[in-house]
Structures are given as C-alpha cells and as structure tokens.
Amino acid sequence: MLWVAVIGLVMTVAAVAVAGRRALFLFKLATVGPPAPERIEYAKAHAGDEAKAQLVEVFGQKKLLKWTPSGVAHFFVMWAFFILLTVYIEAYGAIIQGAITGTPDFHIPLIGTWGVLGFLQDFIAVACLLGLVAFAAIRIKNSPGKLGRDSRFSGSHLGGAWLVLFMIFNIIWTLFLARGAAAANGNFPYSSGAFASLALGDVLPQNALLEEIALLLHIGFMLVFLVIVVHSKHLHIFTAPLNVLFSRRPDGLGAAVEMRVDGKPVDFEDEDLDPERLGRGKIGDTTWKGFLDFYSCTECGRCQSQCPAWNTDKPLSPKMLILDQRDHAFKVAPYLMAADQDQHKDTDVLALLEKPLVGEDGVIHPDVLWSCTNCGACVEQCPVDIEHIDHILDMRRYQVMVESSFPSEAGVMVKNLENKGNPWGMSEMKRADWIEELDFEVELVDEKMPEDTEYLFWVGCAGALEDRAKKTTKAVAELLHIAGVKFAVLGPMEACTGDPARRLGMEYLFNMLAQQNIETLNEAGVKKIVATCPHCFNTLANEYPQLGGTYEVVHHTQLLAKLVDEGLLTPVTPIEEKITYHDPCFLGRHNKVYSQPRDIMSKVPGVQTQEMHRHKDRGFCCGAGGARMWMEERIGKRINTERVDEALTTNPDTVSTACPFCMVMLGDAINEKKNNGEAKESLEVVDVAQLLIKSVKTPT
C-alpha cells in the first residue's frame, strides 16, 4: 500500500496546487474593481437571515425545486457531494493506514461502522447516478439543436456541461468499485446498510490490487474533477453559497440597487465627483459582487426561458448578459490584474480593452441593454441569486449620464420630468382635476396633513393625468370614502416619484425628484401612504428609505382587501363575468403581492376567475417596466401583444390588473386585436378596484 499512498499524495498535492492557483487568480480578478462594503455589512448585521438563506436556498434548493424534474435531480447530485465527503475521509484514511500497517481497514471514529452512514453513502450515490441520467435526458430533450432559441440551453457552453456529467459518472462508478473491492477483501467498515457496495463485494473477487487500483482511480477522477470545476461554469459549486450570502435581501428585486462610487452612495453635490465614475462603463468598474455573479452562473437558462424580451425575439438573454461579461473579463484579466499595465502593450489584450462594455461593437449591444423591462423574472428564477437587473441598471447609468446614449423617445420623458414633474409634460395644476368628477369632497394637503387623516393617497402621474388610470383613481377614492377611511391627496404638490428616471439610468434626476417629494412628505407629516401604481408603491416603500424617506406604504389592493375582510366594504352586486388577472411585475414579483387582488375578486359575487398559463411568480410582463413605457418597441413581437394573446386563450369577458401601466399596455394590445377581429368587442381591461366599486355600489 505504500506505492498507493505515494501516488495518492502526489496526485492530491498537484491537483490542489492547480486548483489553488486558479482560486487565487479568480480572487484577484474579482477584487480589481470597486469595493462593495454594504454587502459585507448587511451580511454581518443580518446573520440570522443569511443563515436561513443558506439553509433554504443552498441546502434546501428551494429555487431549483420550483422546476421539479431538474430540481430533484440537482438536489440529489448536490447532496451527494456533501454526504460523500465521508467517503473521501475513509479513502484517504485507508491509504494512510494501509501504508503504515499494510491493512487498509480504516473507518471514521465513532460513526465509521454505523450501518446508517453506509446506507446514506450508497443511497445518495445511487440517487446521484439517477440524477445524471435525468440531466442527460433533460439536455437531450431541450437541446438547442432541436429547439433553437426556445431551448433554455441556447448559448450555454454545452461541451463543458457534458464533460462534467461524464466526470461525475466516473467518480460514482469508481466509488462503487473501490467500496465493492474493499468489501470483498474484508476491509469495508460496514457489515450492513451499504446495500450496493456489499452486493458488489459478493460478486467481486478477493484481490488487493483491484482494491488499490480502484481507490486510486476514484481519487484520481475526483481530483481531475476538482481542477475542471474551478476552470468551468461548475465553479458555482464553490461560489454559489457565497453569492447567496452576499445577495440583496429578501432578493435582488424591489428597490433598484443604490448607485455607489468607491463603495459609498453617490453624492451629486460633491464638486470632486468624477462623472466618468457614474455607473459601469468598463468591466473593471464591476464590484466583487458582480464578479461573484459571473462566477456563479450555472448556464441553466432558467432566466432566459422566463425573460419577456427573449420570449418575443429580442436580443436580451439575461444568461448571455452575464456570460458575455464573464468571458470578456477572463480575456482582459492579464491587463486588469497587472501591476504594470504597459507590460501588455504588445499583446492582443489591449485590442480587447478598446472594446466598449456597451456599444454597437461592444461586449453588450445597446439593443440588449434597452430591451429590459426590469420585470424581475430573471432574478426571481435564478437558483444562485444573480442580480441581472443590477448589472443592467449600472450599465444604463453610464450610458445615460456619461455617454448621453439612450433611445431618443425616452429623452422627451426625461425633459418632461425635469420641467413639469411628470412624464407627459402636463401642468401640475391638472393633478387635482379628477376630484371634480366625484360627488364628495377629497381633502388636499395644505402644508400639513389634515387632522384625523389616516392615509395620504399617492395618486401618481398616471392616476392623475391618464384617462384610463383616472378611472382607477376615482374608484379607489370612492371605495375609501364608502369605507370611512379618511385620506388626503397632495394634488399639485405631488411630483413623479422618479421611477421612470431611475429605471432609465438617470440617477441624478431620480435623486432630485425623490428628495423633492421626501421634503414635501416630511413637512406634511405623512406617516402612511396608499398608492395605486405599483411603480410608485415600490419606489416609495423600497427606494425612498435610501434617501431618508421612510413611510408605511401599501398598495390599494392590499388596503381594499383588508377593508373587505373587515366588513367595511361589502360586494353585493353580482358581476357575471369570466375574468383573468394579470400580475403587474412591480406588484407581484418585486413585492410579492399576489393574493390580495385575487382575494378581492373572489369576494365579488358571480365572478369566475381563470388564471393564465404564466401567472404569479412566473407571470409575464406587459412590457412597460424599466422605463419601456416611454420607448418604442421595434424588435420582435410586442410584449403586450404576447401577453394579450395568452390572456385570450382563457376566453375572458374582462382582463383585470392592478397597475395603470399594465392597463395602458394591455388595453392598447386588446384594441389592436379588436380592430383585427381577433377579440370580442366587449372585452376590456379594468383595475380590480373598478370591479369592486361596481359590486359594492347597489344599482339604483
């Protein structure tokens, strides 16, 4: 056994040295960019939440198990790595003990002969083999060669995936060979439990050389696999737990990532602020958390399969957005990591460095960047917590604020926000016109909130100025009045929350609008806010605290559902209609409000609800988020048309939603369908509040 020990030791040292060298390279590359101290500070301050995330997402595989077949297969393969660590303790122990005593009958102290451990080792190894078969079947069934763009593996490095599956297979069969040979020779620590190994031991010959060769083969395949892992996409085995640890909580949705320079929140009043540092203009501007995203991508394509842009033939694939940056980073790594950058002046690396991060000939094409609706489907589905939207926003910020490069029609929206405080450029005095159409008084805030007023009703730009959205505004106001909820509105004192500006990448304008609104709200003494627009709701609740504006914010569907439950609103008039509900992305995925709109509809007599195929956390975007509301959609199929096509498969009488942007986008698509004779003339889009007020008010 001495020769086995020598060869095993040499192989181990060599493999660990190669893997360690690669790990050091990856660490140095990840830390070339700006720091992200907020990630570490948050993880320290919320250790309990992070521990729970590790248990649920890493060990429990919660996100992966949403996709049942592949999720179950991955669960068993991953747990095989954990449980079979005990086999490697046994293997190295056997080598060492065999070299010393000549008899490789090592077992782990205390638990090493326990039949339960032997059973677990064999069970998980067999389950791992079945998982490999499932993975192979899934990859063959969803091959890009068969499905093309419809395959979630389209664009992935397919050869590397098959190599890894082959290597894991080699590890498992050599594991059983080594354990079976040990059992045949009487060197196996388990007399029961290890069903597969003991069965093999019964059929294999007693042969010491076979046991030694099998042991070396098993360790050799494991070490080669280690080297392959740190040089491939399967690096996520090590980096995914770290990426989960340092990801934003509860997830990378809700608030847009705060813009930072040198790890500190950007201060636009700082005279020394270098404009070139705004956003991400080159790969070296990526923080180590961004590099962790690159390293952790499994190329599984779940994000791609759910992306509304990709599903309507646009160039954006969230997966390729990450992979293209990662591949570029690896190519220019020698330059990025060089202490003396001139040492690479005669290499091909410098040619790559001239390639812009975003551009017609850049790493990321502008059409990729501007196709994103910020819907969050990619972040929601990513099993390793990659924050795709954060990457997109950082690149947009540089393009908008430094390069002044963005879709021209969005420029009109920016000017309107700057000059009039709303995207349509209408006079702020029109913000209260809708009140005149009501038959009761709505209080306007005059410097201070009126006494005994519980909520500030944040009407929003669309709710005050867009005709279709004003119907929702009036319905909510009337429902609150009927329920006896005292509220007031800001009227002309209200300005856009800044969501369109921030999602476009115009962080400076967002900052200006937000600070203006926060000052107004704080001076008025506002504590509780109800908003009808999910974009306003999300910005007020999740983003204003970044600038010191902290309020209790609810969406109108949350408040109305509560009022119905409390008996303050009672739906009585039947609405005999078949209704399908569209989940607004910024209400659903971004803020996890799924049940309340459905609860309201379920309480309305006569309503028959029918879910679309894609709903709740897999709901499909209307196409308006990410400031896309103010950009023309010129590539592929229109997203709102795709969504309405899906809605029509339920044969609805009405499409309901809870967002003014969604009402506009879905309404426009339905009108187009009506003109083409593809939808019935009576079909309309309404807000949930409009359904409720129709049922609450008894016909006269």
Side-chain angles (χ1 to χ4, degrees), residues 392-466:
I392 288 170
L393 282 180
D394 267 350
M395 286 186 276
R396 281 187 174 187
R397 286 162 175 167
Y398 185 86
Q399 292 301 301
V400 172
M401 292 188 287
V402 179
E403 297 289 339
S404 295
S405 176
F406 53 93
S408 58
E409 57 268 28
V412 177
M413 178 266 290
V414 170
K415 289 179 181 178
N416 288 336
L417 288 176
E418 290 174 338
N419 298 328
K420 296 294 185 179
N422 68 80
W424 288 281
M426 298 174 71
S427 169
E428 64 270 15
M429 300 310 296
K430 290 184 174 292
R431 283 186 175 272
D433 285 357
W434 61 273
I435 298 175
E436 298 174 6
E437 301 173 29
L438 299 174
D439 56 7
F440 58 91
E441 184 180 349
V442 173
E443 294 198 71
L444 283 170
V445 174
D446 182 15
E447 295 186 359
K448 292 290 184 182
M449 283 280 284
E451 290 186 12
D452 300 327
T453 302
E454 186 176 4
Y455 286 97
L456 173 77
F457 179 11
W458 186 274
V459 179
C461 302
L465 304 171
E466 205 279 327

Side-chain angles (χ1 to χ4, degrees), residues 79-275:
W79 271 98
F81 281 98
F82 295 142
I83 294 175
L84 295 183
L85 286 175
T86 59
V87 172
Y88 289 105
I89 296 173
E90 292 172 349
Y92 279 99
I95 288 176
I96 295 170
Q97 185 160 314
I100 296 172
T101 67
T103 305
D105 60 350
F106 174 84
H107 64 268
I108 300 172
L110 300 178
I111 62 170
T113 59
W114 190 28
V116 173
L117 179 58
F119 172 80
L120 282 175
Q121 291 170 337
D122 275 20
F123 170 79
I124 202 66
V126 170
C128 181
L129 279 177
L130 295 175
L132 296 180
V133 172
F135 280 145
I138 289 169
R139 285 192 167 272
I140 292 171
K141 180 183 177 182
N142 296 285
S143 167
K146 290 182 179 179
L147 304 179
R149 186 184 175 95
D150 290 336
S151 169
R152 63 185 175 96
F153 300 119
S154 175
S156 299
H157 297 86
L158 303 177
W162 283 110
L163 174 61
V164 165
L165 291 181
F166 177 66
M167 288 304 300
I168 298 175
F169 170 72
N170 285 327
I171 290 171
I172 298 300
W173 77 256
T174 55
L175 175 144
F176 279 124
L177 180 62
R179 285 162 68 86
N185 292 332
N187 297 322
F188 196 52
Y190 307 101
S191 59
S192 64
F195 57 96
S197 299
L198 290 170
L200 276 172
D202 291 337
V203 299
L204 289 175
Q206 290 187 5
N207 188 312
L209 183 61
L210 176 62
E211 180 181 353
E212 293 166 353
I213 292 174
L215 193 57
L216 284 178
L217 271 176
H218 178 56
I219 291 174
F221 277 124
M222 181 273 293
L223 293 172
V224 171
F225 179 69
L226 172 64
V227 173
I228 291 173
V229 162
V230 296
H231 287 84
S232 72
K233 77 181 187 73
H234 283 78
L235 179 64
H236 75 268
I237 293 172
F238 300 113
T239 58
L242 292 175
N243 209 44
V244 172
L245 175 65
F246 294 114
S247 61
R248 295 199 282 137
R249 293 284 162 226
D251 51 39
L253 299 173
V257 65
E258 191 174 15
M259 191 167 76
R260 291 174 175 259
V261 174
D262 292 329
K264 300 177 181 177
V266 66
D267 179 7
F268 289 106
E269 302 298 323
D270 184 0
E271 295 180 355
D272 297 325
L273 178 64
D274 181 2

Side-chain angles (χ1 to χ4, degrees), residues 477-496:
E478 193 166 359
L479 286 165
L480 295 180
H481 177 70
I482 292 170
V485 177
K486 293 188 176 181
F487 67 95
V489 298
L490 289 175
M493 294 170 61
E494 185 182 293
C496 178

Side-chain angles (χ1 to χ4, degrees), residues 56-101:
V56 172
E57 293 189 36
V58 178
F59 295 102
Q61 300 278 276
K62 179 182 179 181
K63 283 191 172 183
L64 274 162
L65 288 170
K66 290 180 178 179
W67 299 57
T68 306
S70 58
V72 171
H74 193 279
F75 180 87
F76 284 119
V77 172
M78 181 208 67
W79 271 98
F81 281 98
F82 295 142
I83 294 175
L84 295 183
L85 286 175
T86 59
V87 172
Y88 289 105
I89 296 173
E90 292 172 349
Y92 279 99
I95 288 176
I96 295 170
Q97 185 160 314
I100 296 172
T101 67

Side-chain angles (χ1 to χ4, degrees), residues 42-63:
Y42 185 90
K44 286 181 178 178
H46 300 81
D49 291 339
E50 298 300 343
K52 180 181 177 182
Q54 293 292 315
L55 289 172
V56 172
E57 293 189 36
V58 178
F59 295 102
Q61 300 278 276
K62 179 182 179 181
K63 283 191 172 183

